[in-house]
Amino acid sequence: SQELEQSPQSLIVQEGKNLTINCTSSKTLYGLYWYKQKYGEGLIFLMMLQKGGEEKSHEKITAKLDEKKQQSSLHITASQPSHAGIYLCGADNFGNEKLTFGTGTRLTIIP
Amino acid sequence: DAGVTQSPTHLIKTRGQQVTLRCSPKSGHDTVSWYQQALGQGPQFIFQYYEEEERQRGNFPDRFSGHQFPNYSSELNVNALLLGDSALYLCASSLGGRVQPQHFGDGTRLSIL
C-alpha cells in the first residue's frame, strides 16, 4: 500500500462551490505539508501542519491535521478558477525533512 | 528576494549519456533536497545536502549523485541515463535544523530519447 494516499485523485467542481481533499499517512506524522502545482511547474507552498488538531487558513483555503488518524484535509471555500491545479500533500515521517508525497489531486474548476 | 532557481529548464539526452542539473537555493537557506517527479506522480525524494555533505538518500541507484558547494548551491548528476529517468527534477531548499517548509524551484524537465 502507498505510504501517503490522497483522495480523490481528480475533482471537477463548479465555480463557487466548496471542496475537500484528503491525505492519509500509513506512518507517524511529524509534519504535513500542502503544496499546489501547476502542470509541469514547481510546487507552491500552501500550509504546514505539525500538531494534532492544528488548523490553518490562508484566504479561502483551510487545512486540518488529525494526528491520531494520521490524516489531513484541505478545504477550499467558494472555489475560483485560480484554485485549479494539482494539490499535493507531503509527509515528514521521521522529522528529518525527507518528504514523502502523495500522487496528488487534480482540481478543475468549471464556470 | 530570489527564490529557488534551477537550470536548465528543459534538457533532451539520449540513453547512456550523463547529465548535470543545477540549483541555487532561496536566499538564507542552507539545505538542498532533490526530487524526481514522473508524469502523473508525486515527487520522489532523491537525496538531501547540508554543509556540503549528503545527509540522507532515498531509494535511488548510485547513478544519481550530487554535490553542494560552499555557497549552498547544488548539482544533481545522473550517469548512464535510462529511458525511465525522463521526469521533472525538482530542487527544494530550506534552513537546516529548523522545522519549516521546503521551497521548490520550477524544475528541470529531462527527456531521454
Side-chain angles (χ1 to χ4, degrees):
Chain A
S1 63
Q2 296 290 325
E3 291 184 6
L4 200 63
E5 294 203 14
Q6 279 187 242
S7 62
Q9 290 185 346
S10 65
L11 199 51
I12 301 174
V13 174
Q14 191 171 27
E15 185 177 351
K17 298 294 185 182
N18 303 336
L19 63 105
T20 299
I21 299 169
N22 296 299
C23 176
T24 302
S25 175
S26 61
K27 298 182 179 180
T28 302
L29 286 170
Y30 283 86
L32 193 290
Y33 301 80
W34 284 99
Y35 289 88
K36 179 184 175 184
Q37 184 178 31
K38 293 284 190 179
Y39 180 75
E41 298 182 5
L43 277 62
I44 299 169
F45 170 72
L46 296 175
M47 272 170 278
M48 175 179 77
L49 304 167
Q50 285 185 277
K51 302 173 185 176
E54 187 171 19
E55 179 176 324
K56 289 188 177 178
S57 294
H58 176 67
E59 297 180 344
K60 295 185 178 181
I61 301 177
T62 300
K64 300 179 184 179
L65 178 64
D66 185 331
E67 197 172 29
K68 287 184 180 178
K69 293 182 179 179
Q70 296 174 177
Q71 287 180 342
S72 178
S73 61
L74 185 82
H75 184 77
I76 298 177
T77 303
S79 58
Q80 302 170 349
S82 60
H83 289 130
I86 299 170
Y87 288 81
L88 290 156
C89 63
D92 181 348
N93 295 118
F94 301 98
N96 59 5
E97 301 181 60
K98 171 186 171 182
L99 296 185
T100 300
F101 284 92
T103 53
T105 296
R106 182 180 293 273
L107 175 61
T108 302
I109 307 296
I110 57 175
Chain B
D1 179 19
V4 179
T5 58
Q6 292 187 243
S7 64
T9 54
H10 295 86
L11 205 49
I12 299 174
K13 292 285 187 178
T14 57
R15 283 179 297 175
Q17 286 189 311
Q18 177 264 343
V19 69
T20 297
L21 310 182
R22 296 177 175 81
C23 172
S24 291
K26 179 180 169 67
S27 178
H29 286 180
D30 58 7
T31 301
V32 173
S33 301
W34 287 92
Y35 293 82
Q36 180 196 66
Q37 186 178 26
L39 202 60
Q41 301 296 315
Q44 298 285 319
F45 177 82
I46 303 175
F47 43 53
Q48 184 182 82
Y49 277 84
Y50 174 70
E51 292 187 340
E52 302 180 49
E53 291 191 359
E54 184 181 292
R55 184 159 71 172
Q56 52 185 325
R57 189 179 183 91
N59 189 25
F60 279 80
D62 292 343
R63 297 187 298 110
F64 290 77
S65 63
H67 189 77
Q68 185 179 35
F69 299 93
N71 67 352
Y72 307 119
S73 66
S74 176
E75 288 182 349
L76 164 65
N77 301 292
V78 187
N79 296 321
L81 287 166
L82 303 173
L83 293 178
D85 295 331
S86 295
L88 179 68
Y89 288 84
L90 295 161
C91 169
S93 73
S94 58
L95 186 58
R98 299 181 62 179
V99 179
Q100 57 170 244
Q102 295 178 25
H103 291 260
F104 284 78
D106 286 336
T108 293
R109 171 71 62 186
L110 175 63
S111 299
I112 311 300
L113 302 180

Tab-separated table of all heavy atoms in Angstrom, chain A residues 30 33 35 37 39-45 48 50 88 96-104, chain B residues 35 37 39-43 45 48 55-56 88 90 94 97 99-102 104-106 109:
chain	number	residue	atom	x	y	z
A	30	TYR	N	5.302	13.669	11.545
A	30	TYR	CA	5.980	14.725	12.277
A	30	TYR	C	5.612	16.081	11.701
A	30	TYR	O	5.724	17.109	12.349
A	30	TYR	CB	7.491	14.533	12.221
A	30	TYR	CG	7.986	13.451	13.143
A	30	TYR	CD1	8.002	12.118	12.743
A	30	TYR	CD2	8.420	13.749	14.427
A	30	TYR	CE1	8.434	11.121	13.588
A	30	TYR	CE2	8.856	12.759	15.282
A	30	TYR	CZ	8.853	11.445	14.860
A	30	TYR	OH	9.283	10.457	15.708
A	33	TYR	N	2.620	18.762	4.942
A	33	TYR	CA	2.738	19.948	4.129
A	33	TYR	C	1.793	19.845	2.942
A	33	TYR	O	1.687	18.787	2.320
A	33	TYR	CB	4.179	20.103	3.615
A	33	TYR	CG	5.210	20.193	4.709
A	33	TYR	CD1	5.679	19.059	5.363
A	33	TYR	CD2	5.724	21.435	5.095
A	33	TYR	CE1	6.615	19.146	6.371
A	33	TYR	CE2	6.671	21.529	6.097
A	33	TYR	CZ	7.114	20.381	6.734
A	33	TYR	OH	8.047	20.472	7.739
A	35	TYR	N	1.020	21.470	-0.805
A	35	TYR	CA	1.567	22.247	-1.905
A	35	TYR	C	0.572	22.242	-3.053
A	35	TYR	O	-0.251	21.332	-3.197
A	35	TYR	CB	2.879	21.640	-2.414
A	35	TYR	CG	4.064	21.791	-1.486
A	35	TYR	CD1	4.314	20.845	-0.494
A	35	TYR	CD2	4.943	22.861	-1.618
A	35	TYR	CE1	5.412	20.974	0.345
A	35	TYR	CE2	6.051	22.999	-0.787
A	35	TYR	CZ	6.272	22.054	0.188
A	35	TYR	OH	7.365	22.177	1.022
A	37	GLN	N	0.550	22.673	-7.382
A	37	GLN	CA	1.426	22.616	-8.547
A	37	GLN	C	0.617	22.859	-9.817
A	37	GLN	O	-0.405	22.220	-10.048
A	37	GLN	CB	2.120	21.251	-8.634
A	37	GLN	CG	3.125	21.133	-9.754
A	37	GLN	CD	3.825	19.774	-9.765
A	37	GLN	OE1	3.244	18.769	-9.383
A	37	GLN	NE2	5.090	19.761	-10.181
A	39	TYR	N	0.539	22.454	-13.844
A	39	TYR	CA	1.061	21.362	-14.655
A	39	TYR	C	2.485	21.632	-15.127
A	39	TYR	O	2.751	22.638	-15.748
A	39	TYR	CB	0.161	21.109	-15.862
A	39	TYR	CG	0.671	19.991	-16.733
A	39	TYR	CD1	0.533	18.667	-16.318
A	39	TYR	CD2	1.320	20.252	-17.931
A	39	TYR	CE1	1.022	17.629	-17.096
A	39	TYR	CE2	1.798	19.227	-18.706
A	39	TYR	CZ	1.647	17.911	-18.291
A	39	TYR	OH	2.135	16.896	-19.061
A	40	GLY	N	3.398	20.698	-14.791
A	40	GLY	CA	4.772	20.789	-15.257
A	40	GLY	C	5.609	21.856	-14.594
A	40	GLY	O	6.734	22.104	-15.029
A	41	GLU	N	5.096	22.474	-13.550
A	41	GLU	CA	5.846	23.541	-12.891
A	41	GLU	C	6.237	23.121	-11.470
A	41	GLU	O	5.975	22.008	-11.037
A	41	GLU	CB	5.009	24.822	-12.859
A	41	GLU	CG	4.681	25.352	-14.247
A	41	GLU	CD	3.883	26.646	-14.190
A	41	GLU	OE1	3.662	27.179	-13.078
A	41	GLU	OE2	3.481	27.123	-15.270
A	42	GLY	N	6.862	24.044	-10.760
A	42	GLY	CA	7.291	23.753	-9.405
A	42	GLY	C	6.139	23.762	-8.422
A	42	GLY	O	4.997	24.067	-8.762
A	43	LEU	N	6.456	23.389	-7.191
A	43	LEU	CA	5.449	23.319	-6.136
A	43	LEU	C	5.397	24.635	-5.378
A	43	LEU	O	6.432	25.197	-5.014
A	43	LEU	CB	5.799	22.195	-5.158
A	43	LEU	CG	5.390	20.770	-5.532
A	43	LEU	CD1	6.067	20.306	-6.799
A	43	LEU	CD2	5.697	19.830	-4.384
A	44	ILE	N	4.182	25.088	-5.131
A	44	ILE	CA	3.984	26.317	-4.353
A	44	ILE	C	3.509	25.916	-2.968
A	44	ILE	O	2.500	25.217	-2.832
A	44	ILE	CB	2.939	27.226	-5.032
A	44	ILE	CG1	3.433	27.617	-6.431
A	44	ILE	CG2	2.679	28.473	-4.182
A	44	ILE	CD1	2.377	28.272	-7.277
A	45	PHE	N	4.230	26.356	-1.948
A	45	PHE	CA	3.880	26.011	-0.571
A	45	PHE	C	2.570	26.688	-0.169
A	45	PHE	O	2.376	27.876	-0.394
A	45	PHE	CB	5.000	26.439	0.373
A	45	PHE	CG	4.639	26.354	1.818
A	45	PHE	CD1	4.511	25.115	2.434
A	45	PHE	CD2	4.401	27.498	2.563
A	45	PHE	CE1	4.165	25.028	3.773
A	45	PHE	CE2	4.060	27.415	3.898
A	45	PHE	CZ	3.938	26.179	4.504
A	48	MET	N	1.691	24.344	6.393
A	48	MET	CA	2.402	23.314	7.136
A	48	MET	C	1.645	23.057	8.433
A	48	MET	O	1.264	23.999	9.134
A	48	MET	CB	3.823	23.794	7.453
A	48	MET	CG	4.619	22.851	8.333
A	48	MET	SD	6.297	23.448	8.642
A	48	MET	CE	5.998	24.717	9.874
A	50	GLN	N	1.688	20.666	12.073
A	50	GLN	CA	2.557	19.820	12.881
A	50	GLN	C	1.860	19.177	14.053
A	50	GLN	O	2.174	18.058	14.436
A	50	GLN	CB	3.728	20.651	13.417
A	50	GLN	CG	4.770	20.970	12.393
A	50	GLN	CD	5.935	21.684	13.028
A	50	GLN	OE1	5.903	22.901	13.217
A	50	GLN	NE2	6.956	20.942	13.387
A	88	LEU	N	-0.880	18.639	-3.711
A	88	LEU	CA	-0.035	17.554	-3.213
A	88	LEU	C	0.139	17.690	-1.708
A	88	LEU	O	0.416	18.781	-1.203
A	88	LEU	CB	1.348	17.609	-3.862
A	88	LEU	CG	1.418	17.246	-5.343
A	88	LEU	CD1	2.635	17.887	-5.991
A	88	LEU	CD2	1.486	15.734	-5.511
A	96	ASN	N	12.961	14.516	9.663
A	96	ASN	CA	14.275	14.753	9.048
A	96	ASN	C	14.178	15.500	7.729
A	96	ASN	O	15.139	15.533	6.967
A	96	ASN	CB	14.994	13.426	8.826
A	96	ASN	CG	14.221	12.470	7.935
A	96	ASN	OD1	13.180	12.837	7.402
A	96	ASN	ND2	14.707	11.257	7.793
A	97	GLU	N	13.031	16.104	7.472
A	97	GLU	CA	12.822	16.906	6.275
A	97	GLU	C	12.802	16.100	4.988
A	97	GLU	O	12.783	16.674	3.911
A	97	GLU	CB	13.862	18.024	6.158
A	97	GLU	CG	13.882	18.992	7.324
A	97	GLU	CD	14.909	20.080	7.111
A	97	GLU	OE1	14.785	20.814	6.110
A	97	GLU	OE2	15.848	20.181	7.924
A	98	LYS	N	12.816	14.796	5.066
A	98	LYS	CA	12.667	13.982	3.864
A	98	LYS	C	11.169	13.814	3.638
A	98	LYS	O	10.484	13.179	4.437
A	98	LYS	CB	13.321	12.618	4.050
A	98	LYS	CG	13.026	11.637	2.935
A	98	LYS	CD	13.592	10.260	3.268
A	98	LYS	CE	13.124	9.222	2.262
A	98	LYS	NZ	13.624	7.871	2.589
A	99	LEU	N	10.672	14.436	2.593
A	99	LEU	CA	9.233	14.418	2.354
A	99	LEU	C	8.809	13.272	1.447
A	99	LEU	O	9.432	13.009	0.422
A	99	LEU	CB	8.791	15.742	1.738
A	99	LEU	CG	8.972	16.993	2.605
A	99	LEU	CD1	8.383	18.211	1.911
A	99	LEU	CD2	8.353	16.811	3.978
A	100	THR	N	7.726	12.619	1.855
A	100	THR	CA	7.062	11.629	1.016
A	100	THR	C	5.782	12.263	0.520
A	100	THR	O	5.003	12.795	1.316
A	100	THR	CB	6.734	10.362	1.831
A	100	THR	OG1	7.947	9.812	2.327
A	100	THR	CG2	6.030	9.336	0.966
A	101	PHE	N	5.551	12.213	-0.790
A	101	PHE	CA	4.391	12.857	-1.363
A	101	PHE	C	3.335	11.859	-1.805
A	101	PHE	O	3.650	10.718	-2.185
A	101	PHE	CB	4.793	13.705	-2.583
A	101	PHE	CG	5.455	14.999	-2.219
A	101	PHE	CD1	6.831	15.083	-2.110
A	101	PHE	CD2	4.698	16.138	-1.985
A	101	PHE	CE1	7.440	16.278	-1.769
A	101	PHE	CE2	5.299	17.338	-1.654
A	101	PHE	CZ	6.677	17.410	-1.540
A	102	GLY	N	2.103	12.315	-1.768
A	102	GLY	CA	1.026	11.568	-2.382
A	102	GLY	C	1.069	11.771	-3.889
A	102	GLY	O	1.898	12.538	-4.394
A	103	THR	N	0.158	11.114	-4.594
A	103	THR	CA	0.139	11.211	-6.054
A	103	THR	C	-0.581	12.467	-6.527
A	103	THR	O	-0.556	12.778	-7.705
A	103	THR	CB	-0.520	9.987	-6.697
A	103	THR	OG1	-1.802	9.813	-6.110
A	103	THR	CG2	0.329	8.736	-6.473
A	104	GLY	N	-1.205	13.175	-5.600
A	104	GLY	CA	-1.819	14.442	-5.969
A	104	GLY	C	-3.293	14.338	-6.306
A	104	GLY	O	-3.811	13.269	-6.653
B	35	TYR	N	14.295	16.066	-5.844
B	35	TYR	CA	13.183	15.153	-6.029
B	35	TYR	C	13.028	14.852	-7.518
B	35	TYR	O	13.296	15.695	-8.370
B	35	TYR	CB	11.878	15.763	-5.519
B	35	TYR	CG	11.815	15.970	-4.023
B	35	TYR	CD1	12.393	17.092	-3.420
B	35	TYR	CD2	11.157	15.064	-3.201
B	35	TYR	CE1	12.339	17.283	-2.054
B	35	TYR	CE2	11.081	15.254	-1.826
B	35	TYR	CZ	11.677	16.359	-1.262
B	35	TYR	OH	11.608	16.553	0.097
B	37	GLN	N	10.079	13.726	-10.241
B	37	GLN	CA	8.636	13.601	-10.403
B	37	GLN	C	8.317	13.069	-11.793
B	37	GLN	O	8.468	13.780	-12.791
B	37	GLN	CB	7.933	14.943	-10.179
B	37	GLN	CG	6.418	14.832	-10.196
B	37	GLN	CD	5.720	16.162	-9.914
B	37	GLN	OE1	6.274	17.227	-10.160
B	37	GLN	NE2	4.507	16.094	-9.389
B	39	LEU	N	5.682	11.663	-14.679
B	39	LEU	CA	4.393	12.185	-15.129
B	39	LEU	C	3.240	11.532	-14.363
B	39	LEU	O	3.165	10.303	-14.249
B	39	LEU	CB	4.250	11.909	-16.632
B	39	LEU	CG	3.263	12.788	-17.393
B	39	LEU	CD1	3.679	14.257	-17.295
B	39	LEU	CD2	3.204	12.358	-18.844
B	40	GLY	N	2.387	12.348	-13.791
B	40	GLY	CA	1.220	11.835	-13.087
B	40	GLY	C	1.480	11.314	-11.693
B	40	GLY	O	0.575	10.760	-11.057
B	41	GLN	N	2.709	11.491	-11.224
B	41	GLN	CA	3.074	11.003	-9.892
B	41	GLN	C	3.480	12.158	-8.985
B	41	GLN	O	3.733	13.265	-9.446
B	41	GLN	CB	4.242	10.015	-9.993
B	41	GLN	CG	3.963	8.797	-10.853
B	41	GLN	CD	2.866	7.942	-10.284
B	41	GLN	OE1	2.834	7.661	-9.068
B	41	GLN	NE2	1.948	7.509	-11.121
B	42	GLY	N	3.557	11.866	-7.697
B	42	GLY	CA	4.085	12.854	-6.778
B	42	GLY	C	5.611	12.816	-6.792
B	42	GLY	O	6.205	11.847	-7.258
B	43	PRO	N	6.265	13.849	-6.327
B	43	PRO	CA	7.733	13.861	-6.282
B	43	PRO	C	8.280	12.752	-5.397
B	43	PRO	O	7.706	12.437	-4.360
B	43	PRO	CB	8.052	15.238	-5.693
B	43	PRO	CG	6.846	16.074	-5.958
B	43	PRO	CD	5.693	15.131	-5.873
B	45	PHE	N	11.725	11.535	-3.316
B	45	PHE	CA	12.946	12.082	-2.724
B	45	PHE	C	14.171	11.350	-3.240
B	45	PHE	O	14.242	10.118	-3.187
B	45	PHE	CB	12.844	11.948	-1.195
B	45	PHE	CG	14.058	12.399	-0.446
B	45	PHE	CD1	14.259	13.740	-0.171
B	45	PHE	CD2	15.005	11.481	-0.005
B	45	PHE	CE1	15.374	14.165	0.543
B	45	PHE	CE2	16.114	11.894	0.707
B	45	PHE	CZ	16.301	13.239	0.978
B	48	GLN	N	19.439	14.643	-0.043
B	48	GLN	CA	19.485	15.961	0.569
B	48	GLN	C	20.926	16.312	0.933
B	48	GLN	O	21.680	15.454	1.401
B	48	GLN	CB	18.631	15.961	1.840
B	48	GLN	CG	18.527	17.312	2.534
B	48	GLN	CD	17.703	17.208	3.800
B	48	GLN	OE1	18.201	16.814	4.846
B	48	GLN	NE2	16.431	17.561	3.701
B	55	ARG	N	23.222	14.186	3.331
B	55	ARG	CA	22.765	13.898	4.693
B	55	ARG	C	21.829	12.689	4.713
B	55	ARG	O	21.845	11.918	5.660
B	55	ARG	CB	22.063	15.128	5.267
B	55	ARG	CG	21.626	14.959	6.709
B	55	ARG	CD	21.407	16.275	7.394
B	55	ARG	NE	20.232	16.988	6.923
B	55	ARG	CZ	19.771	18.099	7.503
B	55	ARG	NH1	20.366	18.589	8.557
B	55	ARG	NH2	18.716	18.718	7.009
B	56	GLN	N	21.040	12.538	3.687
B	56	GLN	CA	20.169	11.369	3.596
B	56	GLN	C	19.824	11.128	2.139
B	56	GLN	O	19.928	12.036	1.308
B	56	GLN	CB	18.918	11.535	4.443
B	56	GLN	CG	18.152	12.813	4.212
B	56	GLN	CD	17.005	12.931	5.179
B	56	GLN	OE1	16.379	11.947	5.556
B	56	GLN	NE2	16.693	14.145	5.591
B	88	LEU	N	10.448	15.271	-14.359
B	88	LEU	CA	10.701	16.631	-13.897
B	88	LEU	C	11.549	16.520	-12.630
B	88	LEU	O	11.157	15.824	-11.685
B	88	LEU	CB	9.383	17.337	-13.594
B	88	LEU	CG	9.457	18.782	-13.082
B	88	LEU	CD1	9.977	19.709	-14.184
B	88	LEU	CD2	8.085	19.257	-12.593
B	90	LEU	N	13.049	18.286	-9.442
B	90	LEU	CA	12.766	19.435	-8.602
B	90	LEU	C	13.814	19.597	-7.519
B	90	LEU	O	14.224	18.618	-6.889
B	90	LEU	CB	11.384	19.280	-7.960
B	90	LEU	CG	10.194	19.279	-8.916
B	90	LEU	CD1	8.975	18.671	-8.243
B	90	LEU	CD2	9.895	20.686	-9.387
B	94	SER	N	15.742	24.706	2.149
B	94	SER	CA	15.219	25.020	3.480
B	94	SER	C	16.378	25.424	4.367
B	94	SER	O	17.543	25.350	3.965
B	94	SER	CB	14.481	23.816	4.057
B	94	SER	OG	15.342	22.694	4.135
B	97	GLY	N	17.957	22.367	10.416
B	97	GLY	CA	17.844	22.448	11.857
B	97	GLY	C	16.592	23.126	12.349
B	97	GLY	O	16.372	23.247	13.552
B	99	VAL	N	12.305	23.338	11.779
B	99	VAL	CA	11.149	22.725	11.135
B	99	VAL	C	10.419	23.804	10.359
B	99	VAL	O	9.775	24.684	10.936
B	99	VAL	CB	10.205	22.095	12.179
B	99	VAL	CG1	9.009	21.486	11.475
B	99	VAL	CG2	10.947	21.055	12.988
B	100	GLN	N	10.568	23.751	9.056
B	100	GLN	CA	9.930	24.744	8.216
B	100	GLN	C	9.739	24.151	6.835
B	100	GLN	O	10.352	23.150	6.487
B	100	GLN	CB	10.803	25.997	8.133
B	100	GLN	CG	12.205	25.716	7.625
B	100	GLN	CD	12.932	27.016	7.347
B	100	GLN	OE1	13.267	27.303	6.220
B	100	GLN	NE2	13.163	27.786	8.381
B	101	PRO	N	8.877	24.759	6.045
B	101	PRO	CA	8.596	24.172	4.736
B	101	PRO	C	9.778	24.298	3.783
B	101	PRO	O	10.581	25.229	3.872
B	101	PRO	CB	7.412	24.987	4.241
B	101	PRO	CG	7.501	26.275	4.974
B	101	PRO	CD	8.067	25.954	6.309
B	102	GLN	N	9.852	23.335	2.873
B	102	GLN	CA	10.821	23.398	1.792
B	102	GLN	C	10.225	24.229	0.667
B	102	GLN	O	9.044	24.120	0.361
B	102	GLN	CB	11.153	21.986	1.301
B	102	GLN	CG	11.855	21.145	2.352
B	102	GLN	CD	12.129	19.739	1.876
B	102	GLN	OE1	12.233	19.476	0.685
B	102	GLN	NE2	12.261	18.824	2.827
B	104	PHE	N	10.338	25.114	-3.326
B	104	PHE	CA	10.707	24.427	-4.549
B	104	PHE	C	10.984	25.390	-5.699
B	104	PHE	O	10.363	26.453	-5.801
B	104	PHE	CB	9.589	23.474	-4.974
B	104	PHE	CG	9.518	22.219	-4.163
B	104	PHE	CD1	8.953	22.224	-2.905
B	104	PHE	CD2	10.025	21.026	-4.665
B	104	PHE	CE1	8.890	21.062	-2.142
B	104	PHE	CE2	9.959	19.858	-3.929
B	104	PHE	CZ	9.396	19.873	-2.662
B	105	GLY	N	11.893	24.952	-6.579
B	105	GLY	CA	12.105	25.640	-7.838
B	105	GLY	C	11.093	25.147	-8.866
B	105	GLY	O	10.263	24.280	-8.571
B	106	ASP	N	11.191	25.689	-10.081
B	106	ASP	CA	10.267	25.302	-11.140
B	106	ASP	C	10.654	24.002	-11.837
B	106	ASP	O	9.904	23.484	-12.665
B	106	ASP	CB	10.153	26.418	-12.181
B	106	ASP	CG	9.335	27.586	-11.662
B	106	ASP	OD1	8.516	27.371	-10.748
B	106	ASP	OD2	9.525	28.717	-12.165
B	109	ARG	N	12.949	19.848	-16.755
B	109	ARG	CA	12.269	18.757	-17.463
B	109	ARG	C	13.313	18.007	-18.284
B	109	ARG	O	13.886	18.558	-19.214
B	109	ARG	CB	11.188	19.311	-18.391
B	109	ARG	CG	10.560	18.297	-19.326
B	109	ARG	CD	9.679	17.309	-18.612
B	109	ARG	NE	8.546	17.929	-17.953
B	109	ARG	CZ	7.697	17.280	-17.165
B	109	ARG	NH1	7.889	16.007	-16.926
B	109	ARG	NH2	6.695	17.912	-16.624
